[in-house]
Amino acid sequence: MWGGAGVAAEDRLDAAETRHVLRRAARLARDQRSTMLATVGFIAMATATTVTGPLLVRHGIDAGIRANDRGALGVAVVGYVAVVLIAWFGARRQYVMVNIAGEGFLRSLRLRLFAHIQRQSLGFFDRHQAGVLISRMTADIESMSELVQWGLLQFVSAGILLSVAVVVLTVMSWQLTLVALCVLPVVIVASVRFQRDSNRAYLRVRDRVGRNLSMIQEHLAGVRVIQASVRTAEQRRRFADNNDELLDAHMTTVRISTWYFGVVEFCGVLATALGLAAGGWLVQTGRVSVGTVVAAILLLASLFEPVQQLSQLYNTVQSATASLRKMFDILDTEPEIDEIPGAVDLPRSGDLVVDGVGFTYPQTTARVLHDADLHIVDGERIALVGATGAGKSTLAKLVARLYDPDPDTGSISFGGVDLRRATLASLRERIVVVPQEGFLFNGTVADNLRLARPSATDDDVWAALRSIGVAERFAAMPEGIHTEVRERGSRLSAGERQLVSLARAALVDPAVLVLDEATSNLDPGTEAEVERALERLMEARTVVVVAHRLSTVRRADRIVVCEGGRIVEVGSHDDLVGRIDGRYARLAQAWEANTNTSAG
Amino acid sequence: MTERPPRAAPSRGTVRGVRSTDWSHLLDVLRERRRGIAAAVVLGVVWTGGKIAVPSLTRVAIDRSLETGSTAVGWALWIVAAGVVTGLLTAGRRYLAFRESRTVEARLRRRIHDHVLGLHMGFHDRSQTGQLMSRMSADLNQVQMFVVMVPLTVSHVALIAGVTVVLLVTDPLLALVALIPLPLITMVAKRFSDAIHPAVLAVQSEQAQLSSVVEESISGVRVVKGFGAEQVRLDAVAVEADDIQRVSLDAARVRARFLPLMELLPGLGLIGVLGIGGLRVLDGAMSVGELVAYNFYVTLLVWPLRSISMTLAFGQRAAAALERIDEVLSVAPAIVAPSEPAQLQASGGGLKVELADVHFAYGDATVLHGIDLTIDAGTSVALVGGTAAGKSTVARLLLRFYDPTAGSVRLGGIDLRDLDPDDVRRNVQMVFEDTLLFHDTVAANIAFARPDASPADITAAAAAAGADFIDDLPEGFDTVLGERGYSLSGGQRQRIAIARVLLADPAVLILDDATSAVDPAKEHEIRSAMATAMVGRTTIVIAHRPGTIAMADRVVLLDGGCIAAVGTHDELLRTEPRYRAVLADDDGAR
Ligand SMILES: Nc1ncnc2c1ncn2[C@@H]1O[C@H](COP(=O)(O)OP(=O)(O)OP(=O)(O)O)[C@@H](O)[C@H]1O
Ligand SMILES: Nc1ncnc2c1ncn2[C@@H]1O[C@H](COP(=O)(O)OP(=O)(O)OP(=O)(O)O)[C@@H](O)[C@H]1O
Ligand SMILES: [Mg+2]
Ligand SMILES: [Mg+2]
């Protein structure tokens, strides 16, 4: 399981794990394989100049200058020009190709990750802060785009450069090469130690980035409350602390990598010195020519930068691995609510049966529903009433399988099919819940309605608004249903927001419609209008309404009273209201009192 | 004062081709960190010295050993010494460069955060959380990467300058040949940076759009699940992901057009040196060692020149990012304290609230058309009206979230614009229609407006708000709530929000539909606590339930942004058909 908060011991990335993560990433990038191959080809072409250059210089010196042959010198010069032109062509292509491959990979990673996050059940979202999940989709992936854009290019070109240079060096003079490459073990040892220390540091960075974004998100979402409570200064101070922690995490990685780059740089120069010393001796003893030594030293000098680049890149790879690891953690989290193999479609209609269901929210211990039994016949209208916190919304969410009942308890079925055995597509089509917290997305009113049915035309949208009796209201807006509602619908009043989220339900044609206080922010006048209009919508389907208003409740066929997570009374208004000391009777009294002007 | 045009609104598709980058924010922060950055630059320049020493030593070594026939071991030792120095300097420069760039990033992030948190609501209404988040993450990241390159680039420039000098001193003519590429590279670089800027801006803008879509989808997941709309949101993300891919390919095309030129032009110098230098050696005008050293120097130029082209690319990204950051930072807060704010006379009995001919428009749409209303200190008013009548807007004006377009809002006889907004908000507290709780303990959420409140006060406020359920939570008042308080039921959240304002003990209390999700029985209970809370303060309740409305001394009926009637509940019920319509009194529900 994925531990969102805190860097747990499991957050260590050892070498084997790094390899595993990278291998898995490579598998994900399979689609890009041919593009990548082509890319490598072009990079190789572009890299050619750096390698062939010194060789041509050697030719110029040995065959031209020292042999006093102007022709050979000319050949070297012309050859050099040709090589540069080829490299130029390769370099042009490489930039485009590497982008196609890399961004293609990131795109598929984005979509995969997002689709997977969305498949998770609500329990997952209760556990994880939105900001952290967002950081996985944004900051983490962007941190990889660095690798993809420059890293891949540098990696391949430096790799090619290094290996070709080593081969050329060896061919020119294996003795020289052997001496110069004495520094290699030092580089390897340094790299291994560096990797060991840095992976943990990078995981901590990813973690802190997530927390930082979470706080930013919370502050932006809550800015009204923060300002109204005059908490701006205090929240700024808290953010400063959070931000310092992120800085601290970054600084740890900086400290770890500092010495490493010093060592690598030193090794580069050391190789030149060794080459020179050995070369001098080899020339004296007549084993190699001066030109060879010169070319070798030039090559060693040009090796020196790629080695640096590679070690820089190592940093990027480490940080990308940490990002990938965090993403794989999500991809590995199986949704708690998922389709079982061999799931069946729910029938078009049927009874909704809640049978002995108990429920505990994930990661809590207290059961909030106990042994709930309820048989709702097809087409019936049920009102759920009860005190706040009684479990009404919870029951509503279970009926739509946003959560599953506790395993050792009963089941919920529709038309005789246990919801856990149903296909998710048919489930979402048959049972629709308008949650207590309406949520509007950026976009127009129409876009927001279409969330429920993407294929709906403007006419369908108007029809849906008419069916809840509020079309004129939106027609009166300057741009009608094409009015931008802005983030969270901030352009609309609370009541208008609720109307939009209610109208969504009118756009779909579910067998079971669950309305969780879908009209609580409307004035009673509008509410009555909406309810009159809804009558038609509610015909011929099963409706479960959670409501705090007598007018709504009275119209239900049966009323279900919840208390402390139990269903305590079931019956029609007339049945229940007359019960001496009944719970519903008491509730009804409270309602009366509420409507009674002399109360308070 | 009117709403400042929302220049900062990072709306969809903010891609502006014009360059008007304001670097002042970055420069400010860089100035604060000048010591570290200067140190990094100095180390870098010294490092350059080390780098230049190596080819010089090589040249001397080759010439001497060819002349004298001795081995080059002694010289090699010198080179090793130079290696030790450059190694140490690299480490130092890198450390400083990263330390400073990360610090700069962190400071800028704080600056943006602090600025945004203090901006007026008009700004927040229009901006998208995801967009702003992206300013504080992706965009800052670009800035950080650029700042890291600054010391390195300075030392590379120093290297180029040093090499140029050495070349000129050794052989002016050959130096000219070797340096031909420099002006060409500069020209290409200029054109490159012009061309890449809009492309990079587009990439960053698309990333921010993706971030917005993702943010919304995750925050609104309860609705997405309720309607089974996962595919719709996935499609929206796919659109943004495709956009990113498309614009980033555009940017890559620009890079492909210019960067190879910049990388390969130094090769021209090498060729020139080989050809012309070779001829001069043949003519005896130059030693082989000199030619090799020359070659070596010109090679030394290759990587710095390449890396400068890279810095340019990073610089462009940083410029684009800074431009987007500047869009936010340059928004001046529209709601600010006057230079000499008036002092509210806090009396024990609440404050008088007056709206005098208040007009208000959100942008173009006028919502309030001349509201005149006086609420005496210590009295209460119920604001009643249909959906979208403008009730919440009135409440927001009282908190000075916005300033009226015409007319004035007065508190205790003083125009709000003459007061410090913080002072206003300490005295006017409101329960919002949509409750928002923070990811913190129950106690901290209740004490949000009064962090120094004692546990006893917190408990008392919770009790007054009817939040008795807190005792049943696993850790009582220390229970940490889920994000936005989603681990509580709707009514439970509202009661925490009510406790929050009761604890703040304001002179003016506004309840905006604060009990819509509270069941009637509970509301009835809370009401008596409310009645107590209303004593000694001015109260405005926005409500739809007659029982709650009747608690107020007077009822004000809002209709279409105007005051339609004022009176007691009973009076209005008798005389005002519009009032009866709003309360659906013909419904016979009593
Ligand atoms: N996501 C969650 N995680 C943990 N506990 C939760 C969560 N959501 C609700 N609860 C708890 O479950 C209980 C029942 O909550 P529920 O939302 O079902 O109440 P409700 O009857 O709908 O109340 P209201 O009328 O206030 O909306 C409450 O005690 C609440 O604190
Ligand atoms: N931030 C905003 N930008 C633009 N228009 C807005 C904004 N907020 C509200 N409006 C518009 O102003 C009008 C009044 O809104 P307001 O929120 O004051 O209504 P209300 O009386 O509180 O209604 P409700 O009972 O539904 O909450 C509505 O038409 C709404 O569309
Ligand atoms: Mg509920
Ligand atoms: Mg409102």
Side-chain angles (χ1 to χ4, degrees):
Chain A
M1 182 154 302
W2 187 60
V7 197
E10 64 184 75
D11 269 0
R12 287 193 21 245
L13 258 183
D14 50 30
E17 172 111 48
T18 306
R19 268 197 303 279
H20 174 74
V21 166
L22 289 177
R23 210 170 305 135
R24 204 167 148 187
R27 263 203 308 278
L28 273 181
R30 240 189 336 239
D31 290 348
Q32 273 75 41
R33 198 158 35 184
S34 53
T35 328
M36 296 235 184
L37 276 180
T39 312
V40 171
F42 286 116
I43 298 176
M45 197 187 269
T47 315
T49 174
T50 329
V51 187
T52 349
L55 283 181
L56 289 165
V57 172
R58 178 176 88 146
H59 182 75
I61 291 179
D62 283 352
I65 299 170
R66 293 191 63 95
N68 211 342
D69 177 355
R70 280 167 199 255
L73 185 60
V75 168
V77 168
V78 172
Y80 212 146
V81 172
V83 162
V84 165
L85 284 177
I86 294 172
W88 176 72
F89 174 76
R92 277 190 73 125
R93 292 300 303 156
Q94 86 186 356
Y95 278 106
V96 175
M97 295 303 282
V98 86
N99 184 279
I100 292 175
E103 288 291 328
F105 170 65
L106 290 188
R107 176 186 179 276
S108 65
L109 193 60
R110 278 192 178 102
L111 294 186
R112 240 183 125 107
L113 191 63
F114 184 77
H116 195 83
I117 290 178
Q118 276 208 330
R119 265 180 65 210
Q120 299 294 328
S121 58
L122 285 189
F124 176 89
F125 295 94
D126 290 342
R127 275 199 306 281
H128 298 302
Q129 279 189 275
V132 172
L133 296 177
I134 296 165
S135 86
R136 299 284 167 268
M137 276 293 296
T138 57
D140 283 3
I141 290 195
E142 277 147 26
S143 86
M144 272 194 298
S145 98
E146 222 29 61
L147 180 69
V148 164
Q149 290 273 345
W150 299 100
L152 206 61
L153 227 154
Q154 282 177 6
F155 181 77
V156 178
S157 78
I160 293 177
L161 206 60
L162 272 179
S163 39
V164 174
V166 168
V167 170
V168 171
L169 267 177
T170 316
V171 170
M172 287 195 315
S173 160
W174 61 268
Q175 299 100 321
L176 251 180
T177 313
L178 210 60
V179 175
L181 293 188
C182 277
V183 298
L184 212 58
V186 184
V187 176
I188 291 173
V189 170
S191 302
V192 169
R193 289 206 43 184
F194 168 64
Q195 184 191 26
R196 201 193 52 205
D197 295 343
S198 67
N199 51 41
R200 195 181 310 190
Y202 279 110
L203 280 171
R204 197 163 80 104
V205 165
R206 297 306 348 149
D207 188 69
R208 290 296 139 91
V209 166
R211 289 192 201 188
N212 190 261
L213 275 180
S214 266
M215 186 172 251
I216 292 175
Q217 199 230 5
E218 186 172 56
H219 283 179
L220 291 174
V223 64
R224 285 163 187 81
V225 179
I226 291 172
Q227 288 196 2
S229 305
V230 199
R231 272 287 289 247
T232 325
E234 170 66 14
Q235 298 310 118
R236 282 177 180 157
R237 199 189 54 68
R238 291 191 184 192
F239 181 73
D241 290 347
N242 179 308
N243 205 31
D244 284 347
E245 275 182 32
L246 173 59
L247 177 60
D248 184 64
H250 276 309
M251 285 312 295
T252 312
T253 67
V254 173
R255 272 190 291 275
I256 289 171
S257 56
T258 291
W259 63 264
Y260 174 66
F261 290 101
V263 169
V264 171
E265 166 118 13
F266 167 70
C267 287
V269 180
L270 188 61
T272 307
L274 288 174
L276 187 65
W281 180 73
L282 288 170
V283 172
Q284 306 266 283
T285 52
R287 294 211 174 85
V288 295
S289 69
V290 177
T292 306
V293 176
V294 169
I297 288 173
L298 281 182
L299 261 176
L300 280 172
S302 60
L303 274 188
F304 178 62
E305 288 291 344
V307 168
Q308 280 254 322
Q309 300 266 337
L310 271 187
S311 54
Q312 297 264 17
L313 192 62
Y314 204 34
N315 241 354
T316 323
V317 170
Q318 287 279 302
S319 114
T321 316
S323 299
L324 275 171
R325 158 70 195 275
K326 291 269 178 200
M327 281 176 224
F328 287 148
D329 281 340
I330 292 185
L331 288 177
D332 288 342
T333 310
E334 281 306 319
E336 286 139 35
I337 291 183
D338 207 359
E339 223 167 79
I340 56 157
V344 293
D345 280 352
L346 285 180
R348 297 225 154 269
S349 62
D351 292 2
L352 186 65
V353 181
V354 179
D355 181 21
V357 162
F359 179 69
T360 315
Y361 276 100
Q363 299 211 316
T364 61
T365 46
R367 212 165 241 203
V368 294
L369 272 191
H370 307 267
D371 208 20
D373 279 311
L374 186 62
H375 188 119
I376 305 173
V377 287
D378 190 14
E380 196 178 16
R381 192 187 312 176
I382 292 286
L384 279 180
V385 299
T388 55
K392 304 179 295 293
S393 301
T394 307
L395 190 56
K397 287 182 243 177
L398 283 169
V399 160
R401 202 182 172 212
L402 294 179
Y403 294 94
D404 276 336
D406 285 349
D408 52 337
T409 68
S411 68
I412 300 177
S413 60
F414 178 75
V417 179
D418 190 325
L419 297 188
R420 284 169 293 206
R421 287 188 43 239
T423 55
L424 284 178
S426 71
L427 181 75
R428 299 274 177 255
E429 205 179 307
R430 304 279 186 274
I431 307 178
V432 160
V433 48
V434 182
Q436 191 164 0
E437 313 70 31
F439 185 101
L440 301 199
F441 293 86
N442 237 312
T444 64
V445 171
D447 292 341
N448 268 287
L449 258 69
R450 280 198 198 103
L451 186 81
R453 181 151 70 85
S455 61
T457 63
D458 277 5
D459 289 341
D460 297 338
V461 169
W462 280 118
L465 289 171
R466 260 195 306 279
S467 74
I468 62 164
V470 297
E472 307 80 52
R473 203 179 271 285
F474 290 93
M477 290 185 175
E479 286 155 279
I481 54 167
H482 299 295
T483 307
E484 290 280 341
V485 303
R486 304 223 190 100
E487 186 162 271
R488 311 281 190 273
S490 73
R491 158 74 182 77
L492 304 179
S493 84
E496 289 169 332
R497 284 200 287 277
Q498 230 175 19
L499 291 175
V500 173
S501 85
L502 196 61
R504 278 176 185 154
L507 199 55
V508 277
D509 180 31
V512 180
L513 181 60
V514 184
L515 302 173
D516 191 353
E517 302 194 25
T519 56
S520 61
N521 287 327
L522 301 180
D523 62 288
T526 310
E527 186 185 29
E529 252 172 69
V530 167
E531 284 192 342
R532 240 170 279 129
L534 273 177
E535 283 299 316
R536 214 155 16 96
L537 187 70
M538 294 185 180
E539 261 165 39
R541 64 182 102 237
T542 308
V543 179
V544 179
V545 283
V546 179
H548 285 317
R549 293 218 185 130
L550 190 57
S551 53
T552 318
V553 172
R554 278 158 54 110
R555 273 195 272 259
D557 297 324
R558 276 192 304 161
I559 293 161
V560 175
V561 185
C562 301
E563 193 178 289
R566 289 173 201 282
I567 293 178
V568 288
E569 280 175 18
V570 181
S572 73
H573 173 79
D574 295 333
D575 281 353
L576 295 178
V577 81
R579 280 194 202 170
I580 317 288
D581 219 24
R583 263 95 168 189
Y584 181 74
R586 254 185 291 148
L587 263 179
Q589 263 163 28
W591 269 313
E592 295 293 347
N594 222 354
T595 353
N596 186 343
T597 53
S598 59
Chain B
M1 204 158 91
T2 52
E3 231 344 47
R4 205 188 129 98
R7 152 154 195 248
S11 56
R12 287 177 61 94
T14 317
V15 186
R16 293 190 300 159
V18 278
R19 298 183 55 188
S20 59
T21 313
D22 182 353
W23 294 80
S24 63
H25 307 291
L26 180 62
L27 291 179
D28 277 357
V29 180
L30 285 181
R31 211 168 294 132
E32 286 166 21
R33 305 300 303 177
R34 60 177 172 263
R35 290 231 181 83
I37 294 174
V41 168
V42 169
L43 288 189
V45 173
V46 179
W47 168 79
T48 311
K51 294 279 279 194
I52 297 183
V54 174
S56 306
L57 290 170
T58 314
R59 184 192 75 171
V60 177
I62 290 179
D63 280 354
R64 290 289 156 78
S65 30
L66 281 182
E67 270 168 32
T68 62
S70 67
T71 59
V73 174
W75 296 107
L77 283 178
W78 277 109
I79 294 178
V80 172
V84 170
V85 173
T86 50
L88 285 175
L89 289 172
T90 296
R93 181 199 41 128
R94 229 189 97 83
Y95 174 74
L96 287 172
F98 271 93
R99 189 184 74 187
E100 298 313 323
S101 70
R102 288 294 179 194
T103 312
V104 165
E105 178 198 359
R107 295 219 169 156
L108 275 175
R109 187 181 298 113
R110 234 183 101 180
R111 194 183 264 220
I112 304 172
H113 169 270
D114 291 0
H115 180 74
V116 166
L117 211 58
L119 281 179
H120 48 285
M121 285 312 135
F123 171 84
H124 286 286
D125 286 347
R126 286 176 175 77
S127 54
Q128 296 174 21
T129 306
Q131 287 271 357
L132 291 174
M133 285 172 80
S134 147
R135 296 292 173 286
M136 287 182 251
S137 57
D139 286 335
L140 278 183
N141 213 17
Q142 307 291 355
V143 174
Q144 182 267 331
M145 285 194 295
F146 171 69
V147 174
V148 152
M149 315 254 325
V150 168
L152 186 66
T153 308
V154 172
S155 53
H156 276 157
V157 171
L159 183 67
I160 294 172
V163 170
T164 310
V165 170
V166 173
L167 289 185
L168 282 172
V169 169
T170 326
D171 188 331
L173 180 67
L174 204 51
L176 282 183
V177 175
L179 296 176
I180 281 175
L182 266 184
L184 291 179
I185 288 178
T186 321
M187 258 166 52
V188 174
K190 168 83 181 61
R191 291 191 45 201
F192 168 63
S193 82
D194 287 346
I196 192 85
H197 189 81
V200 165
L201 206 56
V203 171
Q204 280 160 18
S205 147
E206 292 298 344
Q207 280 180 347
Q209 282 174 30
L210 178 93
S211 157
S212 250
V213 175
V214 168
E215 192 270 335
E216 275 191 316
S217 309
I218 290 175
S219 298
V221 67
R222 283 157 190 83
V223 170
V224 173
K225 294 260 159 195
F227 285 100
E230 286 93 341
Q231 191 59 44
V232 181
R233 298 310 295 173
L234 184 60
D235 289 346
V237 168
V239 167
E240 300 302 341
D242 287 344
D243 282 352
I244 292 183
Q245 206 185 356
R246 183 173 44 75
V247 294
S248 126
L249 184 59
D250 290 345
R253 293 228 165 83
V254 175
R255 282 201 294 274
R257 205 140 47 93
F258 293 101
L259 289 188
L261 273 182
M262 285 158 72
E263 284 168 8
L264 293 171
L265 279 174
L268 286 186
L270 275 177
I271 297 172
V273 167
L274 179 63
I276 298 177
L279 288 178
R280 293 175 64 133
V281 173
L282 286 179
D283 297 345
M286 204 180 189
S287 76
V288 175
E290 271 169 344
L291 179 62
V292 170
Y294 236 97
N295 234 311
F296 208 149
Y297 280 125
V298 179
T299 319
L300 261 190
L301 286 180
V302 173
W303 277 97
L305 284 174
R306 278 191 189 193
S307 100
I308 283 176
S309 71
M310 201 120 114
T311 307
L312 264 179
F314 277 80
Q316 279 309 323
R317 291 210 248 174
L322 278 171
E323 191 173 309
R324 293 156 54 76
I325 289 169
D326 183 59
E327 282 182 359
V328 174
L329 284 181
S330 65
V331 180
I335 308 284
V336 287
S339 48
E340 282 172 37
Q343 292 300 312
L344 270 178
Q345 299 304 326
S347 67
L351 283 166
K352 185 174 172 186
V353 173
E354 291 160 281
L355 288 97
D357 192 28
V358 167
H359 292 258
F360 180 72
Y362 293 101
D364 297 337
T366 306
V367 174
L368 299 181
H369 310 266
I371 303 272
D372 279 298
L373 179 65
T374 305
I375 309 170
D376 286 326
T379 65
S380 55
V381 152
L383 265 187
V384 180
T387 293
K391 307 177 293 292
S392 303
T393 306
V394 169
R396 290 179 201 133
L397 288 176
L398 293 179
L399 279 173
R400 203 172 169 219
F401 271 2
Y402 307 90
D403 282 329
T405 20
S408 77
V409 180
R410 287 196 284 271
L411 188 63
I414 307 170
D415 192 304
L416 291 191
R417 283 167 291 208
D418 297 330
L419 290 163
D420 182 343
D422 281 355
D423 204 16
V424 172
R425 290 164 197 167
R426 263 188 289 268
N427 283 285
V428 182
Q429 286 273 320
M430 156 151 156
V431 179
F432 291 86
E433 49 199 347
D434 29 32
T435 37
L436 188 125
L437 303 181
F438 293 87
H439 181 57
D440 207 338
T441 63
V442 171
N445 267 292
I446 294 179
F448 196 73
R450 232 186 82 195
D452 57 341
S454 72
D457 291 344
I458 294 176
T459 324
D468 42 12
F469 64 89
I470 297 175
D471 297 329
D472 300 331
L473 295 176
E475 285 158 73
F477 281 88
D478 295 326
T479 311
V480 174
L481 298 179
E483 207 174 15
R484 305 192 134 221
Y486 274 137
S487 50
L488 295 179
S489 82
Q492 290 171 336
R493 284 203 295 272
Q494 280 191 338
R495 279 179 283 164
I496 302 249
I498 294 172
R500 186 188 279 167
V501 292
L502 290 183
L503 183 64
D505 190 25
V508 179
L509 177 64
I510 307 173
L511 302 166
D512 190 355
D513 218 1
T515 53
S516 61
V518 176
D519 62 292
K522 197 84 223 173
E523 191 183 13
H524 194 59
E525 249 175 67
I526 299 176
R527 208 175 303 143
S528 58
M530 295 281 220
T532 325
M534 280 159 68
V535 175
R537 64 182 105 240
T538 314
T539 315
I540 297 163
V541 270
I542 299 173
H544 298 310
R545 294 183 194 163
T548 309
I549 295 172
M551 286 180 11
D553 302 331
R554 275 186 312 156
V555 178
V556 172
L557 177 66
L558 267 187
D559 188 24
C562 302
I563 293 187
V566 182
T568 66
H569 176 66
D570 290 326
E571 274 168 26
L572 291 185
L573 217 47
R574 251 184 294 114
T575 59
E576 192 47 64
R578 276 179 292 183
Y579 188 65
R580 283 200 296 275
V582 168
L583 292 194
D585 197 63
D586 49 57
D587 196 46
R590 284 177 303 153

